[in-house]
Amino acid sequence: MHTTLAGLNLANPTMLASGIMGYTAESFLQVAKGGAGAIVTKSVGTQPRTGYANPIVVQTKAGLINAVGLPNPGIDIFTEEIKYTKTLLHIPLIVSIFGYSAEDYATAAKKAANAGADAVELNVSCPHVKQTGAEIGQSPKLLAEVTQQVKAAINKPLIVKLSPNVTDLGVLAQAAVEAGADALTAINTLRAIAIDSETQQPILSNIKGGMSGPAIKPVALRCVYDLSQIVDVPIIGCGGITTWQDAVEFFLAGASAIQIGTAVADNMAVFSTITKGVESYLRQKHYKNVEEIVGLAHRK
Amino acid sequence: MLTENNTMRITQIVNIHTESPSVKTYTFVDKLCSTARPGQFLMLWIPGIDEIPLSIMGTTNDLVSVAVKAVGDATRHLHNLEAGATIGVRGPFGTSFTENTGRVLLIGGGTGIAPLLFLAKRLQPKATHLAFVEGAKTKTELLFVSELGGVCQEQNLITTTDDGTAGLQCLVTQPLANLLDKESFDMVYTCGPERMVKKIFDLAEQHKLPLEASLERLMRCGIGLCGSCMLGKYRVCRDGPVFTSTQLREVKDELGISKIGFDGSRIPI
């Protein structure tokens, strides 16, 4: 089920979402073996970070809330892992970058691209140093600034992963595309909290976290549906995708590819399972490729 | 991904027992974890402090026990708690030891003894011969000696201490070479620090003996998502913590040599 996306050649349109496994070449190889068409690494910044104390994940009825705190070795150490990975991996490696300023993003992205990353995905769900509390992905101005500077720093495909924690996702998407994003990933996790009634306190050490899993799938699907009417760049659907039916729904809503995160815990082969399911769906409905069904839910 | 095991249950500590100057065992009610098999682990939440992975050391009816050594902030805090204190539990997680019915040898150090004691109790009625080698720094840190003596008969229990205050004065791995030369075994089980496991793995390999080892790594999510506990291609929390010789051979370049640190970089063990 070969497809292309923003210049990337994908054996199939399933990718590992950022934040899952994703530190070492060996873990990327396992995901590739599970059938992924591409891999997005955990988010890497300019400096090492140890992340938050446990608990970093808590399960709710329909999903997980996580606040891992972006642990990462820093781009300078991670470039070695990128180089090593590129000698072993035969699918595109997309490096996720986070930062606290446009300069941070551009610096880390440039180093990742130079080390051999096939594309860069921006994680913009982190606070901006100069505007405490506000996520970069919540301000069209900051988002455009970050996207522009990264775009100028690399000549690899640039994907912006949108935060859903905004009033109007369309405005942010347009800002990212106008600033040079070659594709958009929708969506990152939804801000959430879990409180234990017995001890009467929040469970996550960071108090709040991001919700993923089946609970957010309808929200993510709606975001993709809306965005596909607003922007012309390809959209990568992400949020609670667990089955091939979920994947098909995202294609119909307008996604050209999908990312899988939470569902990987149970089944590393979820990528192959979903790809096979989508293939058989396409065959039954007499479509030649996945491109033919992208956005079909918009037909009047 | 959404399992009953991974839902946090709030429970109270019903009993705390001091095992050594640095180790206490904690018993609490948890139906799910009381179904655990030897080798599996749970995540224990100390509200407002931390959540830590612990090997399950025993189950009776709905009760579950874990052994905790005071080594860091979280475990020291746990040591200050009293019976009745509220904790959170999720699990059981991971793989377990197989139960060999032949001649078996269990070897471990520190709180690694806890899951091996659990296993030894299960093996006792099944195995034709059960030998146990336990090591510690000093006599007062040798855990569960009388219980182990009861499970495997005194003459089959070898103890070692670094300072010679009890048993043989040597590392726990030292009597192993001798024992493996002298006697035949069908399976070796181990749990403890990774460098010790590595030595035991090497010895078992030399003697062409199958081994099952329970490993400990930095664990955050406990469910195979965060990547903190990667050992080569394996997630220790999900594909382990119990690994077979065949699996350990695949990761021998990392076993006892390097692990993933808090910041995701590879660090020496």
Side-chain angles (χ1 to χ4, degrees):
Chain A
M1 211 180 10
H2 178 268
T3 189
T4 58
L5 184 139
L8 294 171
N9 277 312
L10 306 175
N12 69 68
T14 69
M15 304 179 179
L16 174 71
S18 179
I20 309 300
M21 321 228 325
Y23 285 122
T24 63
E26 293 85 353
S27 69
F28 299 139
L29 286 182
Q30 282 306 103
V31 174
K33 216 182 258 179
I39 280 169
V40 188
T41 68
K42 281 175 92 91
S43 296
V44 182
T46 55
Q47 302 299 321
R49 265 178 70 94
T50 54
Y52 302 132
N54 278 0
I56 52 116
V57 63
V58 57
Q59 182 175 299
T60 67
K61 283 208 177 84
L64 297 175
I65 308 175
N66 85 82
V68 189
L70 298 169
N72 81 98
I75 191 66
D76 290 327
I77 285 177
F78 198 66
T79 49
E80 295 308 311
E81 203 67 37
I82 296 172
K83 287 179 197 161
Y84 177 45
T85 302
K86 287 300 292 177
T87 65
L88 304 168
L89 191 72
H90 300 295
I91 58 173
L93 181 71
I94 302 166
V95 175
S96 171
I97 297 292
F98 78 93
Y100 304 100
S101 68
E103 293 73 29
D104 278 358
Y105 276 96
T107 305
K110 189 172 186 174
K111 287 180 177 176
N114 288 344
D118 296 293
V120 165
E121 182 182 87
L122 304 184
N123 173 357
V124 293
S125 297
C126 34
H128 190 258
V129 271
K130 287 173 200 154
Q131 297 195 4
T132 318
E135 289 178 19
I136 285 167
Q138 289 174 327
S139 154
K141 188 169 161 285
L142 288 174
L143 183 62
E145 193 184 312
V146 166
T147 308
Q148 223 158 30
Q149 288 214 26
V150 173
K151 182 72 179 174
I154 61 170
N155 48 29
K156 298 270 175 73
L158 173 58
I159 304 163
V160 174
K161 184 172 187 176
L162 297 169
S163 162
N165 306 304
V166 296
T167 310
D168 188 346
L169 195 62
V171 173
L172 276 308
Q174 270 171 326
V177 171
E178 278 162 23
D182 299 303
L184 299 174
T185 300
I187 53 176
N188 209 321
T189 54
L190 284 162
R191 298 258 282 164
I193 190 169
I195 296 173
D196 169 51
S197 61
E198 183 60 33
T199 56
Q200 306 177 330
Q201 56 180 291
I203 295 174
L204 293 172
S205 76
N206 189 51
I207 300 171
K208 286 178 276 187
M211 179 99 192
S212 66
I216 74 164
K217 197 204 86 180
V219 178
L221 194 61
R222 189 270 302 165
C223 289
V224 169
Y225 185 88
D226 286 349
L227 290 181
S228 74
Q229 290 180 311
I230 296 170
V231 297
D232 290 327
V233 299
I235 299 163
I236 306 165
C238 179
I241 298 171
T242 311
T243 64
W244 68 262
Q245 290 91 337
D246 294 337
V248 165
E249 290 169 27
F250 274 83
F251 296 132
L252 295 174
S256 301
I258 54 143
Q259 292 181 356
I260 306 166
T262 308
V264 176
D266 268 358
N267 178 15
M268 199 82 82
V270 63
F271 304 98
S272 317
T273 312
I274 286 182
T275 300
K276 278 184 204 132
V278 174
E279 270 169 354
S280 114
Y281 170 87
L282 294 175
R283 237 186 349 261
Q284 270 178 24
K285 299 261 181 196
H286 307 294
Y287 293 108
K288 287 191 286 293
N289 52 49
V290 76
E291 285 89 340
E292 290 188 355
I293 67 163
V294 172
L296 281 190
H298 293 276
R299 277 183 308 191
K300 297 226 166 59
Chain B
M1 88 224 62
L2 304 173
T3 61
E4 216 185 329
N5 291 20
N6 194 35
T7 306
M8 188 181 285
R9 287 89 62 184
I10 301 298
T11 186
Q12 274 79 40
I13 298 170
V14 294
N15 186 44
I16 301 174
H17 188 253
T18 301
E19 306 291 349
S20 82
S22 72
V23 177
K24 290 184 182 183
T25 52
Y26 296 79
T27 303
F28 45 85
V29 175
D30 186 64
K31 264 207 162 96
L32 276 173
C33 282
S34 73
T35 64
R37 298 178 304 275
Q40 290 192 293
F41 71 100
L42 55 81
M43 296 295 290
L44 188 144
W45 181 45
I46 312 153
I49 305 291
D50 204 342
E51 185 188 39
I52 54 173
L54 292 166
S55 275
I56 293 164
M57 71 168 276
T59 62
T60 342
N61 301 322
D62 287 351
L63 294 171
V64 184
S65 299
V66 291
V68 182
K69 186 182 170 83
V71 284
D73 286 349
T75 48
R76 270 194 291 272
H77 192 89
L78 200 50
H79 270 235
N80 290 331
L81 294 182
E82 288 173 6
T86 299
I87 54 167
V89 181
R90 48 190 185 104
F93 296 124
T95 54
S96 55
F97 292 109
T98 59
E99 294 177 14
N100 193 291
T101 53
R103 293 177 55 85
V104 299
L105 172 66
L106 289 74
I107 171 164
T111 46
I113 296 300
L116 293 179
L117 172 64
F118 188 14
L119 174 66
K121 285 179 179 168
R122 289 281 173 94
L123 293 178
Q124 190 195 22
K126 301 177 186 171
T128 53
H129 177 76
L130 206 155
F132 206 110
V133 187
E134 174 184 14
K137 283 203 172 78
T138 186
K139 184 181 179 179
T140 52
E141 292 294 346
L142 276 171
L143 300 171
F144 316 116
V145 176
S146 59
E147 276 177 280
L148 286 174
V151 174
C152 68
Q153 298 178 329
E154 303 272 344
Q155 70 271 21
N156 296 322
L157 172 65
I158 301 171
T159 55
T160 68
T161 51
D162 295 357
D163 62 4
T165 45
L168 305 166
Q169 183 174 6
C170 57
L171 290 175
V172 70
T173 45
Q174 203 151 313
L176 184 64
N178 201 5
L179 203 59
L180 295 184
D181 284 338
K182 248 178 22 200
E183 296 182 39
S184 70
F185 291 97
D186 299 306
M187 177 67 86
V188 179
Y189 298 101
T190 185
C191 180
E194 203 168 305
R195 284 165 74 166
M196 179 204 80
V197 169
K198 162 85 171 157
K199 276 189 194 168
I200 294 166
F201 169 67
D202 288 342
L203 278 168
E205 289 290 275
Q206 282 165 27
H207 289 81
K208 298 194 164 44
L209 277 179
L211 170 85
E212 287 181 3
S214 173
L215 300 178
E216 188 186 328
R217 286 268 168 143
L218 166 63
M219 275 182 202
R220 280 186 160 134
C221 73
I223 52 170
L225 284 175
C226 75
S228 305
C229 65
M230 294 299 300
L231 167 63
K233 65 181 200 178
Y234 293 116
R235 299 173 285 183
V236 173
C237 71
R238 190 96 197 179
D239 306 315
V242 176
F243 291 97
T244 64
S245 307
T246 314
Q247 291 173 310
L248 294 178
R249 259 171 240 141
E250 295 172 308
V251 296
K252 61 175 192 279
D253 294 342
E254 273 189 44
L255 182 69
I257 297 166
S258 70
K259 62 177 181 180
I260 309 290
F262 277 98
D263 67 1
S265 60
R266 296 172 193 257
I267 54 171
I269 287 177

